[in-house]
């Protein structure tokens, strides 16, 4: 970096060299980041020019960890230990359910240790929270927030929700103390606890530091414990605070959020900050570019242009990425002549094939089920995801035969050898029943991938797999201590979460070349040219909706950080970067993203309205929108003429010896979009119907139908009275469980999560249908899942129709055609025309169709069709009153016209004009919708 870009650090270097050249080793410089330490060390070496003892140069976190007397553990180990404490209070809780809960609790414990002298005051029981009013009687602001919090509660009569909150809140203080004791016993700490221990050691004079003076440089917003630490150091050592702030936002502009800390902190009440914005010149260019890839390419072109025109020195240029997801697109977009690039931020692995493989393995093994013969079965789509992942292809060089899915959604582990080969089957059926075995198994896979990438690929892939394998080795060692407390499913979840959260560190030259940085990595550094990407609201400043157990009101009352302080910190770090900058490019995303829109960051308006007014002509302002050229193709009507091949296929519905029939579903498909009918029923391009490993809507309906069919089947053609139905209600759970086993090839007690809830709902639905039948008993069931075929005379011949009825019963001389529906139904229409023109009425069309087919067999039958609707079972049988003899005759006439248009060679199959019908159509891409 050139000297002009690090002027704040240069200032500290010059002050040190001029005033204390002989006592360098007795001074300790403390900065917010390791990057600032490295730049300072390099600048200092250049400035002195002679060999001498170097001073201490540490980041604040390294200073604390070196002198607190404890080891700061990583999050994985802390979560395991907190889980062990948590189990004392909630022994039934699994680690999988605890994980996100525990992360929030860790963050809260860390924050209260950094901000409060006595955390016990915060964790006071809600039932005693009124006492807080006395603690804050002299602080009207705090008292107001406490009153707001407690005012929502009638403490004498808490609601169930409030009572549960109070009970959990009561436990937090005990968890806090037990967790703290456990950590101290093991000589471990999280960062907040490490700060407390260091402060205690300095206060008790148990610690002798090898320095006579300290310089804190480039900080903003010290936590309360950091402030106390500085005060304690001042009692024994010389302490100097080097601030990097400006009068513009500390005093000139009233209540500017960037100067919030400097106006409220006692530590910052002495310095007279410079007024740099009143002297400097600054060029700001704001550019709106659609999409992340578009922003990256634009930034790459900008770098290339600046280099060609000699408008920028890469050594004084930084690309700032507030959104880490832009890292790879940005690196790929850099011009080829960018020789030296240093990346400060790590590469997030969450959206890479490495994390994808872990997620696929997680689903494969946690979704596996035991069957009666002791064998295991894997779900087809899960195994497919593992084998089709690029790393899975590298490992196994096998793919599942495509026809496997058409036979069963499940694959036995004993059949894997035939399907994918012995090597693949042996690895995938490895017994992984304990947490440490799971970690060992996954690590072995990545070690294997590592060896393969070493031979076949490049250095980068090898670094990634080695990095992941190293993390898995740490987890394996941790799991060995928790094998009894964790399940294999917990281990899979933990591994997935850990890999999703990993960031691969980059190596580079931090003091030369173009710097690609995260926003917070810029602290205490200066650049002449800055290029920000994703300069959008909720990204910079970041959306600070905090995940915490501590309510906002209590956070405010106790002085914990809220979005107000977090926004102020972001504002400071942004405006501080402008102190020495000459050219700033702010690139924001113009893509519309749901209801949140694509708002540029508020900082743009602040610069344009406030800073421009303050700086006048010294602030050069430019603003552009980059539009991607869009070619709007002519929306041609997509159609398929009925040539001889198509007509031959259609004749199959007329031929006497053909098995082709038109169902209600096929006919409503034709009404909705004749081209969709063509794709599915004529061209044979079947709609995707891959089985699911969870109880989705269609599977839910299948289980319901099968359970009711099996219950009533023994009593078909018999009179069913209340006694029989009462016995069926008792057997309902067993029937549903048998239907689940038929669909899933596993027992109901192996279901997990949402599937278990839906299984319970199915049992209740079946019982409620049976209880409705109690009201209508006695009746006789004449058909269960019966199929009836008939013919419809047309000018092209007799067309075959197929009706499949869920249930047909007879009661008091009336035949009821009953259809079980788990979704929404329309049982009436304002006009009959809607039934044969609007697919929204397809369920009513279905009842007309069923009645027509049934009456072709039994023309004198009195038919009363209706639905049992899962969402409206309290209404009993939902009848379709419009289905009567006169209207059925009209429906037959209209249906004849529809079928004749289908067979008319002059009428092509055409795409619907109603684009709403294309929203979920699987053929939308084929017809350019």
């Amino acid at each position: 970096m050139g000297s002009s870009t690090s002027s704040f650090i240069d200032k500290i270097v010059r002050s040190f060299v001029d005033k204390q050249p002989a006592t360098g080793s007795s001074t300790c410089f403390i900065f917010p980041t390791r990057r600032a330490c490295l730049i300072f060390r390099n600048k200092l070496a250049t400035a002195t020019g002679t060999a001498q003892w170097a001073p201490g140069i540490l980041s604040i976190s390294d200073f604390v960890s070196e002198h607190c007397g404890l080891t700061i553990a990583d999050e994985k180990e802390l979560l395991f230990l907190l889980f062990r404490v948590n189990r004392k209070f909630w022994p039934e809780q699994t680690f999988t359910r605890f994980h996100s809960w525990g992360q929030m609790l860790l963050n809260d414990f860390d924050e209260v240790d950094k901000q409060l002298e006595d955390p016990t005051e915060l964790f006071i029981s809600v039932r005693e929270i009124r006492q807080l009013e006395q603690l804050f009687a002299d602080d009207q602001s705090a008292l107001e927030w406490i009153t707001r919090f407690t005012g929502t509660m009638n403490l004498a009569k808490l609601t169930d929700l409030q009572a549960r909150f109070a009970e959990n809140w009561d436990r937090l203080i005990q968890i806090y103390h037990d967790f703290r004791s456990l950590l101290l016993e093991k000589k471990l700490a999280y960062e907040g606890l490490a700060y407390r221990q260091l402060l205690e050691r300095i206060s008790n004079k148990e610690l002798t530091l090898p320095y006579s003076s300290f310089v804190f440089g480039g900080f903003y917003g010290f936590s309360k414990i950091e402030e106390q630490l500085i005060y304690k150091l001042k009692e024994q050592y010389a302490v100097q605070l080097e601030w990097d702030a400006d009068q513009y936002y500390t005093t000139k502009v009233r209540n500017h959020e960037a100067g919030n800390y400097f106006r409220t902190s006692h530590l910052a009440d002495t310095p007279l900050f410079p007024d740099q914005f009143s002297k400097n010149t600054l060029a700001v260019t704001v550019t709106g570019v659609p999409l992340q890839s578009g922003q990256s390419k634009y930034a790459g072109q900008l770098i290339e242009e600046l280099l060609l025109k000699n408008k920028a020195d890469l050594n004084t240029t930084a690309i700032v990425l507030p959104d880490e997801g832009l890292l790879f697109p940005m690196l790929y977009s850099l011009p080829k002549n960018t020789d030296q690039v240093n990346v400060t931020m790590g590469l997030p692995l969450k959206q890479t094939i490495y994390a994808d493989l872990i997620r696929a393995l997680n689903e494969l093994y946690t979704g596996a089920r035991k069957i009666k013969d002791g064998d295991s079965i894997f779900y087809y789509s899960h195994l497919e995801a593992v084998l089709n992942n690029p790393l899975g292809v590298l490992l196994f060089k096998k793919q599942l035969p495509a026809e496997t899915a058409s036979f069963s959604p499940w694959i036995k582990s004993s059949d894997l050898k035939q399907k994918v080969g012995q090597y693949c089957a042996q690895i995938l059926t490895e017994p992984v029943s304990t947490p440490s075995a799971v970690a060992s198994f996954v690590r072995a896979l990545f070690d294997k991938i590592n060896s393969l990438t070493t031979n076949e690929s490049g250095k980068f892939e090898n670094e990634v797999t080695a990095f992941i394998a190293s993390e898995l080795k740490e987890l394996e060692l941790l799991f060995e201590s928790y094998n009894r407390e964790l399940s294999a499913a917990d281990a899979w979840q933990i591994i997935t979460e850990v890999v999703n959260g990993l960031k691969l560190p980059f190596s580079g030259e931090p003091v030369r070349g173009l710097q690609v940085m995260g926003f917070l990595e810029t602290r205490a550094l200066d650049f002449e040219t800055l290029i920000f990407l994703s300069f959008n609201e909720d990204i910079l400043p970041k959306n600070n909706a905090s995940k915490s157990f501590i309510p906002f009101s209590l956070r405010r009352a106790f002085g914990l950080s809220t979005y107000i302080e977090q926004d102020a910190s972001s504002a400071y770090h942004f405006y501080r970067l402008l102190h020495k900058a000459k050219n700033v490019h702010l690139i924001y995303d113009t893509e519309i993203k749901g209801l949140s829109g694509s708002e540029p960051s508020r900082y743009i308006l602040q610069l344009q309205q406030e800073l421009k007014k303050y700086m006048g002509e010294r602030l050069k302002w430019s603003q552009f929108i980059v539009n991607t050229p869009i070619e709007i193709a002519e929306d041609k009507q997509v159609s398929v003429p009925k040539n001889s091949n198509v007509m031959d296929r259609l004749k199959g519905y007329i031929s006497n010896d053909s098995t082709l029939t038109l169902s209600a579903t096929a006919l409503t498909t034709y009404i909705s979009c004749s081209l969709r009918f063509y794709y599915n029923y004529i061209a044979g391009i079947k709609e995707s119907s891959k089985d699911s490993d969870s109880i989705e809507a269609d599977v839910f309906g299948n289980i319901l139908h099968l359970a009711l069919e099996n219950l009533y089947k023994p009593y078909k053609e018999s009179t069913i009275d209340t006694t029989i139905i009462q016995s069926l209600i008792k057997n309902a759970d067993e029937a549903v469980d048998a239907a689940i086993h038929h669909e899933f090839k596993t027992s109901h007690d192996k279901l997990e999560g949402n599937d278990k809830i839906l299984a319970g709902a199915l049992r209740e639905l079946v019982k409620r249908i049976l209880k409705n039948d109690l009201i209508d008993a006695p009746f006789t069931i004449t058909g269960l899942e019966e199929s009836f075929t008939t013919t419809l005379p047309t000018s092209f011949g007799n067309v075959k129709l197929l009706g499949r009825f869920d249930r047909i019963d007879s009661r008091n001389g009336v035949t009821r055609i009953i259809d079980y529906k788990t979704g929404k139904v329309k049982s009436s229409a304002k006009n009959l025309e809607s039934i044969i023109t609007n697919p929204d009425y397809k369920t009513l069309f279905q009842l007309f169709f069923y009645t027509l087919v049934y009456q072709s067999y039994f023309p004198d039958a009195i038919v009363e069709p209706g639905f049992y609707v899962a969402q409206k079972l309290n209404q009993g049988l939902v009848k379709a009153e419009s289905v009567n003899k006169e209207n059925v005759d009209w429906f037959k006439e209209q249906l004849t016209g529809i079928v004749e248009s289908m067979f008319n060679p002059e009428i092509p199959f055409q795409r619907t004009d109603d684009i709403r019908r294309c929203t979920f159509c699987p053929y939308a891409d084929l017809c350019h919708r």
Side-chain angles (χ1 to χ4, degrees):
M1 291 183 176
S3 60
S4 60
T5 62
S6 294
S7 57
F8 171 70
I9 289 182
D10 281 338
K11 171 190 168 185
I12 301 176
V13 169
R14 285 194 302 270
S15 175
F16 174 70
V17 172
D18 293 343
K19 298 178 182 179
Q20 304 176 28
T23 58
S25 61
S26 64
T27 300
C28 182
F29 290 87
I30 299 178
F31 292 96
T33 66
R34 290 177 178 174
R35 171 55 60 92
C37 293
L38 197 152
I39 299 299
F40 176 79
R41 184 176 289 110
N42 180 266
K43 294 279 187 183
L44 184 61
T46 303
T48 56
T50 59
Q52 59 179 275
W53 291 108
I57 305 172
L58 295 168
S59 69
I60 183 71
S61 58
D62 288 339
F63 174 71
V64 172
S65 63
E66 283 188 19
H67 300 293
C68 68
L70 302 172
T71 300
I72 298 180
D74 65 14
E75 186 183 77
K76 298 188 294 291
E77 188 168 9
L78 290 171
L79 279 173
F80 288 139
L81 292 170
L82 183 57
F83 177 64
R84 180 168 285 175
V85 172
N86 186 75
R87 287 285 291 269
K88 299 177 185 177
F89 301 91
W90 289 282
E92 73 287 349
Q93 193 174 49
T94 64
F95 189 90
T96 303
R97 295 188 64 185
F98 162 79
H99 186 266
S100 59
W101 192 94
Q103 286 179 315
M104 282 198 296
L105 204 53
L106 268 181
N107 291 335
D108 284 344
F109 286 171
D110 183 69
E111 187 177 6
V112 298
D113 271 343
K114 289 178 178 177
Q115 297 289 2
L116 301 179
E117 291 186 17
D118 183 8
T120 305
E121 291 183 4
L122 176 66
F123 293 118
I124 195 168
S125 167
V126 173
R127 287 186 175 85
E128 300 169 351
I129 205 166
R130 290 289 186 190
Q131 296 176 13
L132 288 174
E133 296 179 9
Q134 301 303 318
L135 294 174
F136 292 92
D138 297 328
D139 187 337
Q140 290 302 314
S141 175
L143 184 57
E144 178 183 349
W145 286 103
I146 289 291
T147 305
R148 287 188 189 180
F149 180 71
T150 57
T152 61
M153 292 187 175
N154 178 353
L155 299 181
K157 187 178 181 181
L158 296 175
T159 66
D160 289 342
L161 180 61
Q162 290 168 341
R164 286 197 298 273
F165 177 84
E167 181 183 1
N168 292 340
W169 192 269
D170 286 341
R171 296 177 179 180
L172 291 185
I173 184 58
Q174 191 59 51
I175 292 174
Y176 170 82
H177 284 302
D178 288 358
F179 183 50
R180 187 175 188 274
S181 298
L182 180 60
L183 289 177
L184 293 176
E185 177 186 328
K186 293 179 174 290
K187 302 293 184 182
L188 298 175
Y190 49 86
E191 196 171 77
L193 179 56
Y195 269 98
R196 281 189 172 276
Q197 288 300 108
L198 175 58
L199 181 62
E200 186 176 321
R201 295 186 76 192
I202 293 175
S203 300
N204 297 337
K205 297 184 178 179
E206 299 172 1
L207 178 65
T208 302
L209 295 169
Y211 308 107
S212 61
S213 62
F214 290 87
V215 178
F216 289 80
F219 284 89
Y220 169 85
F222 285 114
S223 66
K224 287 186 175 62
I225 202 163
E226 286 172 334
E227 290 183 343
Q228 291 177 43
L229 182 61
I230 291 171
Y231 285 127
K232 287 297 179 183
L233 287 174
K234 281 185 174 183
E235 293 177 2
Q236 302 177 47
Y237 308 93
V239 176
Q240 180 181 344
L241 301 177
E242 292 286 352
W243 303 103
D244 188 12
D246 191 274
Q247 289 184 35
Y248 168 69
Y249 50 79
T250 57
T251 55
K252 299 291 185 181
V253 178
R254 185 180 180 184
N255 295 328
H256 196 293
E257 58 184 344
N260 182 59
Y261 179 78
F262 300 102
R263 292 190 296 271
T264 57
S265 172
H266 295 298
L267 279 178
D269 61 358
T270 53
L272 178 63
F273 298 116
D275 189 3
Q276 300 164 99
F277 285 112
S278 68
K279 303 171 185 175
N280 296 351
T281 59
L282 177 64
V284 176
T285 304
V286 179
T287 311
V289 183
L291 304 174
Q292 286 190 338
S293 58
Q295 293 180 76
S296 302
K297 289 178 181 178
Y298 181 82
Q301 292 170 4
L302 183 59
I303 290 289
E304 188 171 24
E305 180 184 340
L306 293 174
L307 289 174
L308 288 173
K309 296 181 179 180
N310 293 320
K311 289 185 177 181
D313 177 3
L314 287 189
N315 293 319
T316 62
T317 300
I319 297 176
V320 184
L321 304 178
D323 179 2
E324 63 183 15
L326 276 169
L327 178 57
F328 249 33
M330 186 65 252
L331 293 179
Y332 281 125
S333 299
L334 290 174
K336 293 181 180 178
N337 58 340
T338 313
D339 296 328
Q340 291 183 330
V341 178
N342 182 68
V343 180
T344 302
M345 57 200 302
L347 167 67
L349 297 183
K350 185 174 183 179
Q351 302 301 327
T352 65
I353 57 174
Y354 308 96
D356 287 342
L357 179 63
I358 295 289
R359 286 191 289 268
L361 288 167
N362 181 0
E363 290 183 344
L364 177 69
Y365 283 95
T366 56
R369 290 158 188 176
K370 293 287 186 182
I371 52 179
K372 289 183 178 179
D373 60 6
D375 203 355
S376 295
I377 55 175
F378 296 110
Y379 197 74
Y380 172 85
S381 65
H382 293 166
L383 187 58
E384 186 179 45
V386 172
L387 298 183
N388 289 345
N389 181 285
L391 297 174
V393 173
L394 183 67
L395 269 172
F396 306 118
K397 295 181 174 60
K398 292 287 183 181
Q399 288 187 334
L400 284 171
E403 68 272 11
T404 304
S406 62
F407 292 108
S408 170
W410 300 98
I411 297 177
K412 281 187 175 184
S413 59
S414 56
D415 292 338
L416 275 179
K417 181 178 178 181
Q418 297 176 343
K419 301 294 183 184
V420 294
Q422 182 175 0
Y423 170 71
C424 177
Q426 182 177 350
I427 291 179
L428 293 178
T429 56
E430 186 81 18
V432 283
S433 56
T434 66
S436 56
V438 172
S440 176
F441 166 70
V442 181
R443 180 176 58 82
L445 287 184
F446 272 86
D447 283 338
K448 179 68 175 177
I449 295 170
N450 194 323
S451 65
L452 294 172
T453 54
T454 300
N455 296 331
E456 300 181 11
S457 189
K459 180 182 177 182
F460 175 74
E461 289 80 0
N462 185 244
E463 287 181 357
V464 176
T465 50
F467 179 60
I468 294 174
S470 173
E471 290 289 327
L472 291 169
K473 179 61 178 177
E474 289 184 18
L475 277 176
E476 184 181 348
L477 295 174
L478 275 173
F479 285 158
E480 288 177 358
S481 302
Y482 295 89
N483 270 332
R484 293 184 179 181
E485 298 170 69
L486 303 176
S487 66
D490 287 334
W492 280 112
Q493 183 66 25
I494 294 165
I495 291 170
T496 303
E497 294 282 353
V498 167
V499 174
N500 279 345
L502 288 179
K503 294 181 182 180
L504 180 69
F506 282 90
S507 58
E509 177 49 72
V511 296
R512 288 197 303 272
L514 176 67
Q515 305 293 310
V516 180
M517 317 182 77
F519 180 54
L520 291 180
E521 277 75 40
T522 65
R523 286 176 292 176
L525 305 180
D526 293 292
F527 302 90
E528 288 187 1
T529 301
L530 289 161
I531 300 173
F532 282 84
L533 276 68
S534 288
F535 205 73
N536 289 75
E537 197 70 14
D538 291 340
I539 296 179
L540 193 65
K542 187 177 181 181
N543 181 349
N544 286 311
S546 62
K547 295 179 179 179
S548 171
F549 287 98
I550 306 169
F552 178 82
S553 300
L554 286 184
R555 299 185 74 87
R556 196 81 172 118
F558 279 91
L560 300 179
S561 67
T562 66
Y563 68 88
I564 298 171
E565 288 74 27
Q566 292 159 6
D567 283 355
S569 177
S570 292
Y572 164 75
H573 292 304
F574 171 66
Y575 278 91
R576 191 209 63 77
L577 277 171
L578 305 184
H579 291 175
K580 307 301 178 193
K582 294 180 179 179
N583 295 286
V584 177
H585 297 268
L586 308 176
I587 304 170
Y588 67 92
D589 189 355
T590 59
E591 181 191 9
I592 297 174
K593 298 175 181 176
L595 295 177
S596 63
S598 54
E599 289 294 321
S601 170
R602 74 186 76 160
Y603 297 153
I604 293 176
L605 194 58
Q606 289 176 5
L607 295 178
Q608 188 178 22
Q609 299 296 324
E610 296 177 355
L611 189 59
K612 174 67 175 172
K613 181 179 178 181
Y614 189 77
M615 293 184 67
E617 293 303 315
R618 288 178 294 100
L619 175 56
K620 308 298 181 183
W621 186 269
S622 304
Q623 194 157 356
F624 306 97
I625 295 288
V626 176
N627 292 317
T628 304
I630 298 175
E631 294 184 9
I632 302 177
E634 183 181 351
D635 188 17
K636 297 179 180 179
Q637 178 60 260
V638 180
S639 64
V640 175
K642 293 174 182 170
N643 56 29
S644 58
N645 290 332
V646 173
M647 290 306 298
D648 287 344
R649 178 70 174 171
L650 280 168
K651 288 175 183 177
Y653 290 96
I654 300 174
S655 173
N656 290 330
D657 59 352
S658 174
T659 58
L660 295 178
T661 57
L662 290 175
S663 63
T665 300
L667 288 164
T668 53
T669 298
Y670 180 80
I671 292 170
S672 175
C673 175
S674 64
L675 189 59
R676 180 171 181 173
F677 173 87
Y678 166 78
Y679 286 140
N680 196 344
Y681 296 95
I682 305 301
I685 305 173
K686 291 301 179 184
E687 300 183 13
S688 176
S689 59
K690 183 176 282 189
D691 298 280
S692 172
D693 60 340
S694 61
I695 304 179
E696 296 177 348
D698 54 344
V699 180
F700 189 94
N702 292 343
I703 295 172
L704 178 67
H705 283 68
L706 182 59
L708 288 165
E709 178 187 4
N710 290 339
L711 282 167
Y712 274 124
K713 188 183 293 184
Y715 303 98
K716 186 179 175 182
E717 304 296 347
S718 303
T719 299
I720 299 174
D721 56 21
T722 56
T723 303
I724 292 174
I725 297 174
Q726 290 285 10
S727 67
L728 295 181
I729 292 173
K730 294 178 181 179
N731 297 327
D733 288 353
E734 184 179 342
V736 171
D737 293 342
I740 289 173
H741 185 272
H742 182 272
E743 287 290 321
F744 282 87
K745 305 295 186 293
T746 190
S747 61
H748 64 280
D749 57 354
K750 299 294 184 183
L751 296 177
E752 296 180 351
N754 194 52
D755 288 348
K756 183 171 288 190
I757 296 172
L758 289 175
L762 279 163
R763 297 184 191 101
E764 182 61 26
L765 277 176
V766 169
K767 290 174 186 176
R768 291 179 66 182
I769 289 173
L770 292 171
K771 289 175 182 177
N772 279 333
D773 284 344
L774 272 176
I775 300 171
D776 294 335
F779 53 83
T780 302
I781 290 183
T782 58
L784 289 168
E785 304 295 332
E786 298 281 348
S787 295
F788 288 76
T789 57
T790 188
T791 57
L792 179 72
T794 72
S795 57
F796 296 95
N798 293 331
V799 177
K800 289 184 178 180
L801 304 180
L802 168 69
R804 183 174 177 83
F805 309 137
D806 293 345
R807 170 173 144 189
I808 306 170
D809 68 29
S810 176
R811 178 176 177 270
N812 298 331
V814 176
T815 298
R816 301 191 304 178
I817 299 175
I818 297 176
D819 205 52
Y820 303 123
K821 291 293 183 186
T822 55
K824 295 180 180 180
V825 302
K826 290 184 182 290
S827 59
S828 62
K830 291 182 179 179
N831 57 76
L832 288 176
E833 291 290 334
S834 301
I835 300 169
I836 48 91
T837 60
N838 188 345
D840 289 345
Y841 293 92
K842 63 182 180 181
T843 51
L844 189 53
F845 178 98
Q846 190 177 19
L847 289 189
F848 270 95
F849 182 83
Y850 287 172
T851 304
L852 174 65
V853 171
Y854 186 82
Q855 288 187 330
S856 70
Y857 283 81
F858 307 100
D860 297 328
I862 301 173
V863 178
E864 187 179 78
F867 300 104
Y868 267 138
V869 186
Q871 299 173 0
K872 300 179 180 180
L873 284 178
N874 59 319
Q875 297 180 16
L877 186 67
V878 178
K879 300 176 183 178
E881 303 293 346
S882 59
V883 184
N884 53 48
K885 187 178 187 314
E886 180 182 352
N887 288 342
V888 170
D889 290 341
W890 170 86
F891 176 80
K892 182 178 180 180
E893 181 181 337
Q894 299 300 315
L895 186 61
T896 302
I898 291 170
V899 173
E900 288 187 341
S901 72
M902 183 189 297
F903 284 83
N904 189 336
E906 302 300 322
I907 302 177
F909 292 108
Q910 294 191 135
R911 183 183 66 183
T912 178
D913 292 329
D914 188 350
I915 196 170
R916 293 174 300 173
R917 301 178 189 179
C918 306
T919 304
F920 301 106
C921 177
Y923 308 112
D925 289 339
L926 292 178
C927 53
H928 310 296
R929 280 280 173 82

